[in-house]
C-alpha cells in the first residue's frame, strides 16, 4: 500500500504493542482502531512522515540496536517526527496520546498543543470549541478525514461536545494552510482522522466499560463501547464496525446578570440628591426637562436582570462507525465509510430573576468607571423560574474515496461525501418554561450591591421578599403565574462535496493539482409562544399582586426547594436563602386545566392578549424568522514541492495557490412593526403588531486567490528553521446571512430590540506570516519558538444602533419607539501577532517526562473600555495561554498530570440582553486554570484499568462586561471522576 502515502488528509499513526496501546487510550476502541502496523505510511500535507533512516536524532545509546518505544513516550516521538518533517506548521496528536489525556472530547485534547486553548460550555464545563492563536469559533475549520462536516448550529465551527475522542485515530492542526486541503480558516484547520480496517491487518476485537461521576450530581453513569475489525481475502478486503455509548450527568450552580446596559442617569437619581421629585428624561421638549436634576447626563452602566439558578444536565451520546476497504491490487484502494452520531442533552433548571429599569433607580452609587455598585428600585417584581431544555442533534456522514496509481510517478484520488445534520428532527420542544412570582402591590424596594470583582464575587442583595419582607421570600400564599415561554427549534444542514486530485512526483519534486465542489444548505425553522403572544396569557402574578391578571399557584407545585448556601466555591456574595424548583410541565398543565377563556370566564386571564385568541392550550406558532441559506463553492488548486540543498544544508520549498468562488442565495420572511401595545396585567410587558409577511430572497458572490509558500532549512540534523507566507479566508456564519430584519413580538419595557442579517457579508481575509526555529536536541525531546503575524481585513462586526422602525410609537413614553438593532457588517482591519514556545523533554529511560508550551499574543486593535461610540471594535478571542503535562510511563504503569491556563480575554461583542446606548457591550471571560489527572495500569496484555479526575481544584468559569466588576455569569460545574476497564482480544 506504499503507493498511497500521499493523501489530502492525515492518515493513521504507526503503533507498538497492543497491550501498551490498550493501557494508554481513552478507550480501547480508539486505540486499536487508530494504530496501524509499523510499516504503515504516515502523511501530513502530502508528506510521508514515517521516521526515515538517517532522519532520527542521533543517540549514542541507540547506535547499535533498534529501540521500539511504546506508551506515552512512543506516541510523543511519533508526533514529534510528523511536526519535524512537515513542510508547514503542523501539530499532531495520535490516538495513543489522546487516550492518555484525561479528556472527554477532541477539544480537550487539542488544548495540549501550542497556541490552542478551549472554550467551555458553562452549564456542563465541557470543552465546546477551540481558539487557535487568538482566533476562535468560526475562524477554525474542522474536517473529518479531509471532509467538511455538517453542523445544524448554523455556524462554521463544530461543537466539540458532539465529537467524542473514543474513535479518533489522529488529530492534526494545520496552522499554515495546505492549499490542497483548505484555505478556509484564518485560525487553523483541524483534521480528525478516523480508523480504517487496513490500519491493522487481521482480526481485532476491543471493548471498554467504565463510568463517571460528577461530585455535585452524585450519579454514576456508564460508558460502554465495542469494536470489531477484520481483513479478508489475503488482506485485500477489510471491514470495521464500532459503537460506543457515553453518558455524563452534571449539576451546575450559576449566578448571572443578563446584561450590563450603558445609559445616562439624571442627577436626581444619584445618592445624596435632595430633589423633591425625580422624573428622568432625555427629551428636551418634555416638561420634566425644565428641572435640571431630571436631565439624564451622567454616564453609568446598570444590570438589566439579576438572578441565580441550578442546572442538572444529562448528556447522552451514541457514536457509530462502519468502514469498508478494498485493495484488489497495489494500484487501487477503495474506502467507503459512514460516521454517525446522536447526542441528546436534557437540562432541568430552577432559579429566580429580578428585572430592572434604569429610569426607576434611586439612591444610585457609581464607581470611578461608572458601574452602578448600589441602588434601590421601588416596586421590583420577583420571578421564580423553572425550565426543561431539550436538544437532539443527529449527524450522519457517508463518504467514498478511490485512489489509483497510474504509473510509479502518477496517482489519482477521487473523494465524495454527503453529510446531514439535524437539530431536533423529532420535532421536540426545545424549552418549556414556568415563570411565577409576585410584584405590583407586593413589589419590593429592592437593592443590590456590587462589592467585588467578577473573578471572586457576585452581587449581593440588600433587600428582597414581598414588600421587602425577607422572611416571606418564598411565601407560596402570594406566588402567582407570570409568563409561559415555550420554544421549539428545528435546524437542518446538508453538505455535499466532491474533490479530485492528481499527484505527480519524482525523486526531489512533486506536483499536486485538483479541484473541489462543496454545496452547503442550511435551514432554520422555529416555533414559540411569542408569535401568538400566548406567553402572556396569565401574566400579572395573581390577586395578591393586584395587577388584574394571573392566578395563584397551588402550594404543592412550589414545594421543592434548593438551598443557596456555598453556592459558588471561592466566591463571595449574598443571595436569598433558597430557590423554588417548579416543574414547568405541571405548571402548564395546571393553567390549561383552568379551561378555555373563549367559552367561559377564567379569572386572571389576560383578556385580549393573544392572536389567535388563546383557547386554553399553550400551542406554539410558527416564527416568521425562519430562513434558508444555500452556499456553493468551487475551488481549484495546485501545489509544488521541491527538495534540495542550499549551501550544503537540506532545503525544502512548498508553494501553491488555491482559487475559490462562492455563490450564496439567502431567503427569509420579512415584516415590519405597525404598533406596540402594553399588557393589561403587567406594565413591563409589550406586544408588537406587524404587517403581513413577505418572502425576501437575495443573491451574492465573491471569489479570491489564496496563495501559500512554505520554506524549511535544516541548518544541522537537529536545528531547523522555517518560514511561511499565506493568504486565508473565513466565511461569515451561515445564520448571519438572512436578508430580513427580525423584531420580536414579545418585548420588555425599556428594552426594545431587533436583529438584522446581512446576506452581502464578505469573508474575513488574512495575510499570514510565520517564522520558526526548532531544536531537536535529543530523542523524544525538542524546543521550538514560532512567531506569527496575521493581517486581517473585512472583520465582521456586530454593531448595535438605536433607531426607530416604521415610525412605531412606544406607548410607555409616547415617543417614537427606539429599538436597539444589532446587525453585522464588514468593517475594520486588524493585525494579530504572537509567539508560541514549545518544550518537550523525556528523561532517558527513567519513564519521566513533560510537555510544556506557552502562547503570547497581541493586537493593534485592543478593546478600549472608554470608547462610548456605538461602533467600537476590537479583536476577540486573544489571550495568553500555557499548558503543562507531566508524566511517568514505565513497566505498564502510567500517570499524567495536565495543567491548562488561559488569561482573561474578550469573547464577543453582545450580552444576553444588549440594550446599551453605547453599542454592543462586550463579554470577557476571566482568567482560568484547570488541573486534570489520569492514570492506567496494564494488569495483563489483554486487560487494563484506568482512572481519571477532571478539574481537580474545582475551578469555576466566570465572565464580565465592560469593566471587571460587571459580572455576567459564573458557573460552578464541579469535579468529574472516571474509571473503567479495557479488554482486547
Amino acid at each position: 500500500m506504499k503507493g498511497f502515502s500521499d493523501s489530502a488528509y492525515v492518515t493513521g499513526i504507526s503503533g507498538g504493542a497492543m497491550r501498551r496501546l490498550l493501557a494508554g487510550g481513552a478507550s480501547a476502541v480508539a486505540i486499536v482502531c487508530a494504530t496501524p502496523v509499523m510499516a504503515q505510511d504516515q502523511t501530513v500535507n502530502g508528506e510521508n512522515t514515517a521516521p526515515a533512516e538517517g532522519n532520527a536524532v542521533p543517540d549514542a545509546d541507540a547506535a547499535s540496536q533498534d529501540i521500539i518505544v511504546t506508551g506515552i513516550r512512543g506516541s510523543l516521538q511519533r508526533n514529534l517526527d510528523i511536526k519535524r518533517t512537515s513542510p508547514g506548521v503542523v501539530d499532531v496528536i495520535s490516538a495513543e496520546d489522546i487516550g492518555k489525556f484525561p479528556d472527554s472530547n477532541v477539544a480537550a485534547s487539542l488544548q495540549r498543543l501550542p497556541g490552542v486553548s478551549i472554550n467551555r460550555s458553562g452549564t456542563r464545563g465541557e470543552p465546546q470549541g477551540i481558539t487557535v492563536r487568538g482566533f476562535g469559533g468560526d475562524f477554525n475549520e474542522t474536517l473529518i478525514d479531509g471532509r467538511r462536516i455538517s453542523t445544524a448550529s448554523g455556524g462554521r465551527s463544530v461543537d466539540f461536545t458532539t465529537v467524542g475522542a473514543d474513535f479518533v485515530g489522529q488529530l492534526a492542526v494545520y496552522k499554515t494552510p495546505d492549499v490542497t486541503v483548505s484555505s478556509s480558516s484564518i485560525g487553523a484547520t483541524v483534521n480528525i482522522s478516523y480508523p480504517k480496517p487496513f490500519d491493522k491487518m487481521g482480526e481485532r476485537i476491543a471493548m471498554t466499560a467504565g463510568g463517571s461521576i460528577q461530585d455535585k450530581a452524585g450519579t454514576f453513569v456508564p460508558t460502554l463501547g465495542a469494536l470489531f475489525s477484520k481483513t479478508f481475502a489475503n488482506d485485500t478486503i477489510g471491514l470495521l464496525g464500532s459503537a460506543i455509548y457515553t453518558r455524563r450527568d452534571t449539576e451546575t450552580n450559576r449566578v448571572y446578570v443578563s446584561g450590563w446596559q450603558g445609559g445616562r442617569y439624571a442627577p436626581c437619581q444619584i445618592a445624596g440628591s435632595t430633589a423633591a421629585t425625580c422624573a428622568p428624561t432625555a427629551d428636551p421638549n418634555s416638561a420634566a426637562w425644565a428641572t435640571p436634576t431630571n436631565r439624564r447626563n451622567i454616564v453609568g452602566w446598570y444590570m438589566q436582570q439579576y438572578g441565580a439558578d441550578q442546572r442538572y444536565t444529562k448528556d447522552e451520546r451514541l457514536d457509530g462507525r462502519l468502514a469498508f476497504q478494498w485493495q484488489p491490487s497495489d494500484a487501487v484502494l477503495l474506502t467507503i465509510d459512514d460516521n454517525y452520531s446522536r447526542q441528546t442533552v436534557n437540562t432541568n433548571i430552577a432559579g429566580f430573576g429580578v428585572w430592572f429599569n434604569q429610569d426607576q433607580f434611586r439612591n444610585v452609587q457609581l464607581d470611578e468607571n461608572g458601574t452602578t455598585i448600589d441602588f434601590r428600585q421601588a416596586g421590583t417584581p420577583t420571578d421564580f423560574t423553572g425550565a426543561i431544555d431539550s436538544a437532539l442533534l443527529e449527524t450522519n456522514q457517508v463518504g467514498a474515496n478511490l485512489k489509483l496509481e497510474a504509473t510509479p510517478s502518477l496517482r489519482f484520488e477521487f473523494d465524495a461525501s454527503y453529510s446531514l445534520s439535524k437539530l431536533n428532527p423529532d420535532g421536540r420542544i426545545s424549552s418549556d418554561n414556568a415563570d411565577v412570582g409576585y410584584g405590583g402591590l407586593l413589589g419590593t424596594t429592592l437593592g443590590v450591591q456590587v462589592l467585588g470583582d467578577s473573578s471572586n464575587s457576585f452581587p449581593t442583595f440588600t433587600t428582597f421578599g414581598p414588600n421587602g419582607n425577607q422572611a416571606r421570600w418564598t411565601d407560596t400564599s402570594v406566588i402567582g403565574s407570570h409568563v409561559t415561554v415555550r420554544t421549539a427549534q428545528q435546524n437542518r444542514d446538508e453538505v455535499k462535496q466532491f474533490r479530485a486530485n492528481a499527484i505527480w512526483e519524482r525523486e526531489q519534486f512533486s506536483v499536486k493539482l485538483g479541484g473541489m465542489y462543496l454545496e452547503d444548505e442550511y435551514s432554520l425553522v422555529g416555533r414559540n409562544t411569542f408569535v401568538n403572544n400566548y406567553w402572556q396569557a396569565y401574566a400579572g402574578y395573581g390577586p395578591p399582586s393586584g395587577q388584574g391578571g394571573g392566578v395563584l399557584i397551588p402550594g404543592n407545585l412550589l414545594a421543592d426547594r434548593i438551598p443557596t448556601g456555598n453556592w459558588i466555591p471561592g466566591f463571595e456574595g449574598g443571595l436569598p436563602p433558597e430557590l423554588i424548583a417548579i416543574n414547568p410541565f405541571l405548571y402548564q398543565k395546571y393553567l390549561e386545566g383552568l379551561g378555555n377563556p373563549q367559552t367561559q370566564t377564567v379569572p386572571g386571564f389576560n383578556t385580549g392578549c393573544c392572536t389567535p385568541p388563546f383557547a386554553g392550550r399553550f400551542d406554539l406558532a410558527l416564527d416568521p424568522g425562519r430562513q434558508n441559506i444555500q452556499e456553493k463553492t468551487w475551488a481549484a488548486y495546485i501545489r509544488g514541492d521541491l527538495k534540495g540543498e542550499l549551501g550544503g544544508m537540506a532545503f525544502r520549498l512548498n508553494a501553491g495557490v488555491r482559487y475559490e468562488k462562492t455563490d450564496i442565495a439567502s431567503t427569509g420572511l420579512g415584516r415590519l412593526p405597525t404598533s406596540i401595545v402594553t399588557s393589561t396585567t403587567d406594565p413591563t410587558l409589550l406586544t408588537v403588531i406587524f404587517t403581513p409577511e413577505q418572502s425576501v430572497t437575495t443573491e451574492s458572490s465573491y471569489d479570491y486567490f489564496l496563495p501559500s509558500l512554505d520554506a524549511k532549512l535544516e541548518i544541522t540534523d537537529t536545528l531547523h528553521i522555517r518560514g511561511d507566507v499565506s493568504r486565508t479566508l473565513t466565511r461569515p456564519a451561515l445564520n448571519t446571512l438572512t436578508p430580513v430584519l427580525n423584531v420580536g413580538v414579545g418585548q420588555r419595557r425599556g428594552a426594545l430590540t431587533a436583529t438584522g442579517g446581512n446576506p452581502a457579508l464578505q469573508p474575513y481575509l488574512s495575510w499570514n506570516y510565520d517564522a520558526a526555529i526548532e531544536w531537536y536536541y535529543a530523542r523524544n525531546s525538542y524546543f521550538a519558538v514560532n512567531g506569527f503575524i496575521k493581517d486581517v481585513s473585512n472583520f465582521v462586526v456586530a454593531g448595535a444602533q438605536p433607531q426607530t422602525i416604521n415610525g412605531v410609537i412606544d406607548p410607555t413614553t409616547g415617543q417614537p419607539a427606539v429599538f436597539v438593532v444589532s446587525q453585522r457588517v464588514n468593517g475594520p482591519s486588524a493585525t494579530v501577532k504572537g509567539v508560541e514556545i514549545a518544550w518537550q523533554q523525556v528523561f532517558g529511560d527513567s519513564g519521566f517526562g513533560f510537555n510544556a508550551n506557552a502562547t503570547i499574543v497581541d493586537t493593534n486593535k485592543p478593546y478600549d473600555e472608554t470608547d462610548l461610540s456605538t461602533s467600537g471594535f476590537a479583536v476577540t478571542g486573544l489571550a495568553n495561554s500555557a499548558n503543562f503535562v507531566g508524566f511517568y510511563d514505565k513497566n505498564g504503569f502510567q500517570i499524567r498530570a495536565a495543567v491548562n491556563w488561559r488569561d482573561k480575554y474578550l469573547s464577543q461583542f453582545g450580552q444576553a440582553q444588549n440594550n446599551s446606548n453605547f453599542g454592543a457591550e462586550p463579554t470577557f471571560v476571566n482568567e482560568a486554570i484547570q488541573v486534570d489527572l489520569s492514570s492506567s495500569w496494564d494488569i495483563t496484555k489483554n486487560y487494563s484499568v484506568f482512572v481519571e479526575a477532571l478539574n481537580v481544584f474545582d475551578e469555576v468559569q466566570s465572565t464580565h462586561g465592560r469593566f471587571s466588576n460587571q459580572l455576567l455569569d459564573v458557573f460552578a460545574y464541579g469535579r468529574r471522576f472516571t474509571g473503567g476497564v479495557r479488554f482486547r482480544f
Side-chain angles (χ1 to χ4, degrees):
M1 298 184 348
K2 65 182 180 180
F4 303 105
S5 62
D6 195 325
S7 171
Y9 50 86
V10 183
T11 59
I13 290 289
S14 57
M18 182 57 61
R19 178 176 64 88
R20 288 186 171 86
L21 290 176
L22 283 171
S27 75
V29 175
I31 293 169
V32 174
C33 293
T35 310
V37 295
M38 291 295 293
Q40 182 79 12
D41 290 332
Q42 306 168 32
T43 61
V44 171
N45 280 344
E47 170 68 10
N48 189 333
T49 57
E53 185 177 355
N55 195 37
V57 176
D59 187 329
D61 295 335
S64 60
Q65 58 182 325
D66 293 329
I67 297 178
I68 299 176
V69 181
T70 59
I72 295 174
R73 291 173 294 161
S75 173
L76 291 177
Q77 180 65 57
R78 289 188 292 275
N79 298 339
L80 182 153
D81 290 336
I82 293 175
K83 178 181 181 69
R84 180 181 182 182
T85 57
S86 297
V89 181
V90 180
D91 285 301
V92 176
I93 304 177
S94 69
E96 190 174 5
D97 215 10
I98 296 169
K100 287 176 178 143
F101 282 133
D103 301 330
S104 59
N105 65 20
V106 168
S109 300
L110 288 171
Q111 72 173 326
R112 317 300 181 191
L113 297 175
V116 181
S117 50
I118 62 173
N119 311 317
R120 293 188 180 275
S121 161
T123 298
R124 289 172 283 163
E126 293 282 339
Q128 192 168 24
I130 62 170
T131 295
V132 182
R133 295 178 166 181
F135 290 88
D138 293 349
F139 286 102
N140 302 303
E141 183 177 35
T142 299
L143 308 176
I144 291 183
D145 285 335
R147 303 161 179 158
R148 172 91 66 84
I149 185 73
S150 57
T151 171
S153 66
R156 303 283 180 181
S157 60
V158 171
D159 181 350
F160 282 100
T161 66
T162 68
V163 183
D166 302 279
F167 298 127
V168 173
Q170 186 185 82
L171 303 176
V173 179
Y174 297 79
K175 296 177 183 175
T176 58
D178 178 350
V179 296
T180 68
V181 176
S182 175
S183 292
S184 300
S185 56
I186 292 175
T189 297
V190 179
N191 191 68
I192 304 172
S193 296
Y194 279 110
K196 301 174 181 62
F198 286 168
D199 289 348
K200 192 75 174 180
M201 297 299 179
E203 181 177 290
R204 294 289 168 184
I205 301 175
M207 293 183 290
T208 183
S212 67
I213 185 171
Q214 187 234 17
D215 55 354
K216 295 181 180 297
T219 302
F220 185 81
V221 291
T223 294
L224 298 170
L227 172 141
F228 174 81
S229 178
K230 185 176 179 62
T231 57
F232 309 87
N234 295 322
D235 293 336
T236 61
I237 296 176
L239 291 173
L240 180 147
S242 61
I244 190 162
Y245 168 83
T246 305
R247 175 176 162 183
R248 291 181 180 273
D249 283 19
T250 308
E251 183 179 280
T252 302
N253 292 342
R254 176 193 183 211
V255 174
Y256 67 90
V257 174
S258 294
W260 284 86
Q261 315 306 333
R264 288 180 168 83
Y265 287 105
C268 64
Q269 296 178 269
I270 306 301
S273 171
T274 59
T277 61
C278 189
T281 182
D283 181 9
N285 298 317
S286 68
W289 185 264
T291 305
T293 56
N294 289 334
R295 299 173 184 173
R296 298 175 57 172
N297 53 24
I298 301 173
V299 172
W301 283 265
Y302 66 98
M303 56 182 72
Q304 183 79 82
Q305 185 178 24
Y306 180 48
D309 61 47
Q310 184 175 92
R311 299 168 173 232
Y312 191 101
T313 301
K314 183 171 73 172
D315 180 354
E316 294 182 284
R317 192 176 66 238
L318 177 65
D319 295 294
R321 173 170 171 79
L322 293 173
F324 166 81
Q325 287 188 292
W326 178 47
Q327 189 172 18
S329 69
D330 288 343
V332 179
L333 175 61
L334 173 66
T335 302
I336 300 174
D337 52 36
D338 190 311
N339 302 311
Y340 173 82
S341 69
R342 179 185 175 94
Q343 183 188 36
T344 305
V345 180
N346 292 302
T347 304
N348 290 349
I349 305 172
F352 76 91
V354 289
W355 179 266
F356 302 119
N357 190 313
Q358 187 185 26
D359 283 349
Q360 299 172 356
F361 281 24
R362 301 294 184 268
N363 297 313
V364 173
Q365 294 183 33
L366 305 175
D367 69 5
E368 64 276 11
N369 294 320
T371 300
T372 302
I373 58 174
D374 198 358
F375 67 91
R376 297 291 184 274
Q377 176 177 278
T380 306
T382 297
D383 288 45
F384 299 97
T385 58
I388 297 178
D389 294 346
S390 183
L392 168 63
L393 183 63
E394 192 172 49
T395 303
N396 193 73
Q397 183 185 64
V398 59
N401 182 277
L402 177 64
K403 297 180 181 180
L404 302 173
E405 183 176 312
T407 71
S409 299
L410 181 63
R411 303 192 306 277
F412 298 94
E413 179 189 11
F414 305 93
D415 191 276
S417 66
Y418 173 83
S419 180
L420 178 62
S421 179
K422 295 179 286 187
L423 177 65
N424 302 328
D426 57 356
R428 68 179 57 199
I429 302 297
S430 303
S431 182
D432 274 294
N433 178 278
D435 190 324
V436 301
Y438 44 82
L441 299 176
L442 299 176
T444 306
T445 301
L446 194 143
V448 177
Q449 293 180 332
V450 176
L451 302 175
D453 190 81
S454 59
S455 62
N456 55 31
S457 174
F458 53 80
T460 295
F461 280 89
T462 56
T463 58
F464 55 84
N467 295 137
N469 187 341
Q470 298 183 15
R472 300 182 63 197
W473 164 248
T474 54
D475 182 353
T476 58
S477 68
V478 298
I479 295 177
S481 62
H482 190 213
V483 297
T484 306
V485 175
R486 306 185 74 203
T487 62
Q489 190 67 48
Q490 287 182 281
N491 299 351
R492 189 177 190 272
D493 187 32
E494 183 180 34
V495 175
K496 305 170 186 175
Q497 52 195 319
F498 174 80
R499 70 170 182 263
N501 296 322
I503 305 102
W504 179 84
E505 61 182 3
R506 301 300 292 267
E507 290 184 0
Q508 300 297 319
F509 181 71
S510 67
V511 176
K512 183 174 184 178
L513 60 87
M516 183 206 73
Y517 170 76
L518 188 146
E519 180 180 321
D520 191 345
E521 184 168 0
Y522 169 76
S523 61
L524 176 153
V525 177
R527 296 176 293 126
N528 54 62
T529 54
F530 290 112
V531 175
N532 51 26
N533 219 39
Y534 287 5
W535 72 304
Q536 298 184 22
Y538 286 98
Y541 300 118
S545 293
Q547 295 186 137
V551 296
L552 275 176
I553 303 302
N556 65 305
L557 298 183
L558 308 172
D560 293 335
R561 309 296 172 86
I562 300 172
T564 60
N566 193 30
W567 195 244
I568 306 291
F571 271 62
E572 297 180 350
L575 295 173
E578 61 185 5
L579 309 179
I580 296 176
I582 181 170
N583 186 309
F585 295 149
L586 297 179
Y587 166 76
Q588 292 173 21
K589 182 178 180 181
Y590 171 74
L591 293 181
E592 291 181 341
L594 298 177
N596 182 353
Q598 308 308 315
T599 60
Q600 64 186 88
T601 299
V602 180
F605 172 66
N606 185 1
T607 304
C609 68
C610 310
T611 305
F614 180 77
R617 295 184 57 84
F618 289 96
D619 297 325
L620 286 72
L622 190 63
D623 194 318
R626 57 193 182 273
Q627 57 184 276
N628 187 83
I629 313 294
Q630 186 180 68
E631 182 181 80
K632 297 179 180 180
T633 298
W634 292 262
Y637 44 82
I638 184 170
R639 187 196 71 200
D641 191 23
L642 174 66
K643 300 177 184 178
E645 288 191 355
L646 185 64
M649 296 175 287
F651 176 72
R652 180 169 182 178
L653 184 67
N654 186 300
V657 64
R658 184 181 182 98
Y659 170 77
E660 290 195 358
K661 184 179 188 301
T662 300
D663 294 332
I664 300 170
S666 176
T667 301
L669 292 176
R671 58 180 185 170
L672 291 174
T674 57
S675 62
I676 302 175
V677 297
T678 58
S679 168
T680 59
T681 60
D682 189 329
T684 71
L685 303 180
L686 303 173
T687 300
V688 182
I689 310 301
F690 295 92
T691 62
E693 301 172 3
Q694 288 186 331
S695 179
V696 179
T697 298
T698 62
E699 295 182 353
S700 62
S701 64
Y702 53 81
D703 62 290
Y704 293 98
F705 282 96
L706 305 169
S708 177
L709 177 68
D710 303 309
K712 187 177 73 167
L713 181 66
E714 298 183 13
I715 298 175
T716 68
D717 286 343
T718 61
L719 186 63
H720 300 179
I721 60 173
R722 68 172 78 233
D724 306 88
V725 180
S726 65
R727 192 189 196 200
T728 54
L729 62 80
T730 289
R731 294 179 173 84
L734 288 169
N735 57 6
T736 65
L737 302 177
T738 176
V740 299
L741 178 70
N742 183 27
V743 179
V745 175
Q747 302 271 352
R748 299 295 291 265
R749 177 175 179 172
L752 297 174
T753 61
T755 58
N758 186 352
L761 285 175
Q762 297 288 296
Y764 306 78
L765 293 171
S766 177
W767 279 102
N768 315 294
Y769 310 92
D770 275 76
I773 182 168
E774 301 164 352
W775 180 31
Y776 300 91
Y777 59 87
R779 178 182 294 276
N780 217 337
S781 302
Y782 79 98
F783 182 80
V785 178
N786 191 101
F788 61 88
I789 298 174
K790 294 179 181 289
D791 288 327
V792 186
S793 59
N794 273 1
F795 261 98
V796 177
V797 293
Q801 299 280 351
Q803 64 186 67
T804 61
I805 301 176
N806 204 31
V808 172
I809 301 299
D810 184 342
T812 66
T813 65
Q815 301 296 317
V818 177
F819 294 82
V820 177
V821 180
S822 299
Q823 188 173 32
R824 290 171 172 82
V825 296
N826 287 111
S829 301
T831 297
V832 174
K833 55 188 176 180
V835 177
E836 295 172 354
I837 303 170
W839 184 12
Q840 181 172 301
Q841 173 70 56
V842 174
F843 297 97
D845 196 38
S846 68
F848 289 98
F850 68 83
N851 191 318
N853 63 74
T855 304
I856 303 169
V857 292
D858 197 8
T859 179
N860 66 335
K861 294 290 179 67
Y863 181 71
D864 181 3
E865 60 191 21
T866 65
D867 183 0
L868 300 186
S869 69
T870 58
S871 57
F873 168 73
V875 178
T876 60
L878 293 182
N880 297 332
S881 62
N883 306 303
F884 177 86
V885 179
F887 62 85
Y888 174 80
D889 171 23
K890 195 169 184 178
N891 299 324
F893 177 74
Q894 297 130 26
I895 186 169
R896 186 190 302 256
V899 184
N900 303 109
W901 169 79
R902 187 176 188 181
D903 204 357
K904 183 187 81 169
Y905 66 97
L906 173 63
S907 172
Q908 65 183 31
F909 283 94
Q911 299 170 2
Q913 291 166 344
N914 196 95
N915 310 299
S916 176
N917 290 342
F918 311 130
E921 290 291 327
T923 296
F924 286 90
V925 178
N926 284 321
E927 175 188 16
I929 186 169
Q930 180 162 319
V931 177
D932 303 325
L933 300 174
S934 67
S935 181
S936 65
W937 179 35
D938 298 350
I939 305 299
T940 70
K941 68 178 183 178
N942 299 114
Y943 169 53
S944 64
V945 296
F946 64 92
V947 293
E948 300 171 345
L950 304 182
N951 195 22
V952 174
F953 294 110
D954 205 10
E955 178 72 17
V956 304
Q957 175 181 310
S958 61
T959 63
H960 68 78
R962 184 177 294 248
F963 303 105
S964 63
N965 61 346
Q966 294 181 356
L967 178 113
L968 290 171
D969 269 307
V970 55
F971 293 93
Y973 47 79
R975 306 175 180 89
R976 188 179 304 280
F977 304 95
T978 302
V981 296
R982 305 184 182 100
F983 302 90
R984 189 269 301 175
F985 302 97

